Amino acid sequence: MNFPAELKYSKSHEWVKMLDDTTALVGISDFAQEELGDLVFINLPQVGDSVTKEEAMCDVESVKAVSDVMSPVTGVVAEVNEELLDAPEKLNDDPYGAWIAKIENITDTEELLDAADYESFTKEA
């Protein structure tokens, strides 16, 4: 299991890569993709959508089930990774390279975990 130190994590298993003080890339963690299994479809958010921390931002479909991806922050979707529409398996192959959305004007980052705390949290799950 991989927990890059430069990222922040939510307890719902999304990662956040801060690009500046108010903009970040968001994706699912290695732990999440492992739990979900092979991903076969993603329903991306729309550019301009408002997202709210701990509410569904989009959903992914695996061979096991359809699962919501929760937003780890509050903000506005500035960009989506359209490559995932044709290749959702990139989330399995490279969960920290395959970002889902770029969120801007973000708030509600206080409860994000650092890599060490997130790794401990996943061991308790």
Side-chain angles (χ1 to χ4, degrees):
M1 201 78 46
N2 187 9
F3 305 95
E6 70 275 11
L7 303 177
K8 296 289 187 184
Y9 302 87
S10 69
K11 289 185 176 181
S12 54
H13 307 293
E14 292 80 26
W15 57 260
V16 176
K17 179 179 183 179
M18 298 302 296
L19 301 177
D20 60 37
D21 288 342
T22 61
T23 308
L25 295 178
V26 172
I28 62 170
S29 71
D30 194 17
F31 180 88
Q33 71 81 24
E34 188 76 29
E35 291 290 306
L36 290 167
D38 293 337
L39 296 171
V40 295
F41 179 79
I42 184 167
N43 184 19
L44 291 168
Q46 299 294 311
V47 171
D49 281 357
S50 291
V51 293
T52 302
K53 179 184 167 193
E54 297 178 354
E55 292 186 10
M57 171 176 76
C58 66
D59 57 72
V60 291
E61 184 176 338
S62 70
V63 294
K64 295 180 183 179
V66 176
S67 302
D68 285 336
V69 175
M70 308 309 276
S71 182
V73 295
T74 297
V76 177
V77 177
E79 190 177 338
V80 294
N81 186 353
E82 293 187 3
E83 288 181 8
L84 297 177
L85 292 173
D86 293 326
E89 67 275 5
K90 287 183 177 189
L91 290 168
N92 292 114
D93 298 340
D94 185 12
Y96 299 113
W99 55 278
I100 293 171
K102 181 190 287 185
I103 311 293
E104 61 186 9
N105 302 323
I106 62 171
T107 59
D108 294 331
T109 60
E110 301 81 21
E111 293 181 25
L112 294 173
L113 305 172
D114 64 23
D117 288 342
Y118 179 66
E119 184 173 2
S120 294
F121 175 74
T122 62
K123 290 178 179 169
E124 296 167 8

